[in-house]
Each structure stands twice: as C-alpha cells, then as structure tokens.
Amino acid sequence: QKEVEQNSGPLSVPEGAIASLNCTYSDRVSQSFFWYRQYSGKSPELIMSIYSNGDKEDGRFTAQLNKASQYVSLLIRDSQPSDSATYLCAVNNPSGGSYIPTFGRGTSLIVHP
Amino acid sequence: GAVVSQHPSRVICKSGTSVKIECRSLDFQATTMFWYRQFPKQSLMLMATSNEGSKATYEQGVEKDKFLINHASLTLSTLTVTSAHPEDSSFYICSARDPEQGSFEKLFFGSGTQLSVL
C-alpha cells in the first residue's frame, strides 16, 4: 500500500522564524510531489510542486526533494500568523497510464506573534 | 487557473435519506475527477476516481452501492450518498485535473461539502 507519512504536529513557531515541514513516502516510483495548504473547513490549495531532486524556491517557500531517501520537505521563511494552517504533502503515483494522488494526514502549523 | 465548483457547501440531513453532491469544472473539460472524504484532523482519503462516460473506480473499502458516482459529461460529476447514516458525516471534496496542463500537474479542488447526518 502506498503511504505518505507526516508528523501531525502541531508545529509551533514564532513569527518571523523558519518553519520546516517534513514528509516521507513509500513508493519509489512516485513521480511528482506537492504541498497543499488547508485552512480549517476549507479545501486544499496548492503551495508548491516539485518533480526532481534538489530545492525549488517560490517566494518564502522552498520545497526540497530527495528521491533516494524518499523524503520531501517544505520550508517557510519569515513565517506569518496567516501561515497557520494544516499542510498536506501529496504524492502522485502512476496507475494505469495516469497518476493517482495520495495525501499525507497533514501537519498542523501554528505561527504565534 | 482552472475552477472547480462544488455544491452544496453544507448539508444536514436525516438518517436514511440520500444526498447528492455536484462537482463542476467551469472552464475546462475534466475526463477524470477524484472524490475525497476527510474526517476531522485526518487526511484526504480517496474514495473513487470518476471517469467520464464509464464506471467509476472505487478504492478498497468504499461501498459502490452506497456512494454512487455519475460522470455523465466532461464538466459534471456527482456523488450520491445513499441511505446516509451518522457515520457518513464528513467533509467531501472533489478535484480534477485540467488535461491541458498534463498529468503531472496539480489538482484543482472544489470548495468541499460538509455533510452532517442526524
């Protein structure tokens, strides 16, 4: 069974600090990786996508992928209270010519002033 | 970006009744839509993959006779929860990919439906 593991948290960081969110996945053939942000009672919204090993930066967000270790992370620099949400790691696994997304349970992030 | 509209956003129903949830892709054609269920503080669990013009593919443990999925057009998929019970109370979310953006690309999510069965 394909699994995506995340620490449920909560991860609490002070405003302005770097928040580091981690995710591991079980299927070595996974092709693409995503981080979604979900506010309570809302549907997820895409923050970052990453497909190859290394770092990908977009504003205050940096996604890091290490396929050998089956590990993907999200760094949030200069964390703001508005970043407080649950962050879902998602992995696309090939299935019948398409890709089926599997989600981790999410890490709750709290940024306190 | 692509927009997925989901309706209703919230529904309260009595035990034993059926509830239909609609998911529409507004500015693109979606041959495939995904239906997820999310319990409080849990992850999104894929229930089924809805395929336009053919039967849905259900995940293991999901009752196809209880969760009826119809994908009759390229822009509309519906999920009907039949004979709902309190344990079906959950947040249901649909999503789709814009085929113009390739199969690697992100999911576009509907706004979700909070179902409460009394």
Side-chain angles (χ1 to χ4, degrees):
Chain A
Q1 183 173 349
K2 300 175 178 63
E3 294 183 348
V4 178
E5 299 288 340
Q6 291 181 258
N7 187 321
S8 61
L11 173 65
S12 182
V13 301
E15 184 174 358
I18 296 175
S20 177
L21 305 164
N22 305 314
C23 172
T24 59
Y25 58 95
S26 63
D27 193 343
R28 285 193 170 275
V29 301
S30 298
Q31 299 283 339
S32 46
F33 309 85
F34 306 86
W35 282 99
Y36 289 84
R37 178 174 62 198
Q38 185 178 26
Y39 293 110
S40 180
K42 304 294 184 182
S43 60
E45 56 179 322
L46 182 71
I47 298 297
M48 291 284 287
S49 59
I50 186 167
Y51 309 118
S52 54
N53 282 327
D55 295 359
K56 178 182 178 183
E57 186 174 321
D58 183 1
R60 295 189 295 115
F61 300 96
T62 299
Q64 299 174 318
L65 174 61
N66 184 326
K67 290 187 177 180
S69 300
Q70 295 173 238
Y71 176 91
V72 58
S73 65
L74 177 70
L75 300 178
I76 306 175
R77 290 181 299 282
D78 189 24
S79 296
Q80 302 297 310
S82 58
D83 295 327
S84 299
T86 296
Y87 289 80
L88 302 170
C89 173
V91 176
N92 272 2
N93 299 301
S95 175
S98 183
Y99 293 87
I100 302 297
T102 301
F103 286 82
R105 65 183 299 177
T107 298
S108 174
L109 173 66
I110 300 172
V111 181
H112 53 87
Chain B
V3 177
V4 176
S5 175
Q6 186 173 344
H7 178 81
S9 59
R10 181 178 294 273
V11 59
I12 302 172
C13 69
K14 293 182 179 180
S15 184
T17 60
S18 294
V19 174
K20 179 184 284 189
I21 302 170
E22 292 188 349
C23 182
R24 294 181 184 272
S25 56
L26 296 187
D27 51 359
F28 66 99
Q29 294 183 330
T31 55
T32 302
M33 290 186 177
F34 301 97
W35 285 97
Y36 290 88
R37 178 169 54 182
Q38 187 179 35
F39 293 106
K41 298 188 184 302
Q42 299 295 318
S43 182
L44 277 74
M45 297 302 298
L46 181 64
M47 298 176 65
T49 303
S50 171
N51 304 297
E52 187 270 334
S54 65
K55 292 182 179 180
T57 303
Y58 289 82
E59 295 300 302
Q60 190 173 6
V62 178
E63 300 174 59
K64 60 180 66 176
D65 294 330
K66 180 170 182 61
F67 299 99
L68 300 179
I69 290 174
N70 184 284
H71 195 153
S73 77
L74 286 170
T75 59
L76 174 64
S77 175
T78 61
L79 168 67
T80 300
V81 182
T82 62
S83 186
H85 290 284
E87 58 265 30
D88 298 323
S89 299
S90 185
F91 191 52
Y92 293 86
I93 313 173
C94 70
S95 67
R97 289 195 180 98
D98 182 347
E100 294 296 315
Q101 298 192 31
S103 57
F104 275 165
E105 273 300 318
K106 63 182 178 181
L107 292 174
F108 297 93
F109 283 91
S111 55
T113 298
Q114 183 63 54
L115 172 64
S116 299
V117 185
L118 304 178

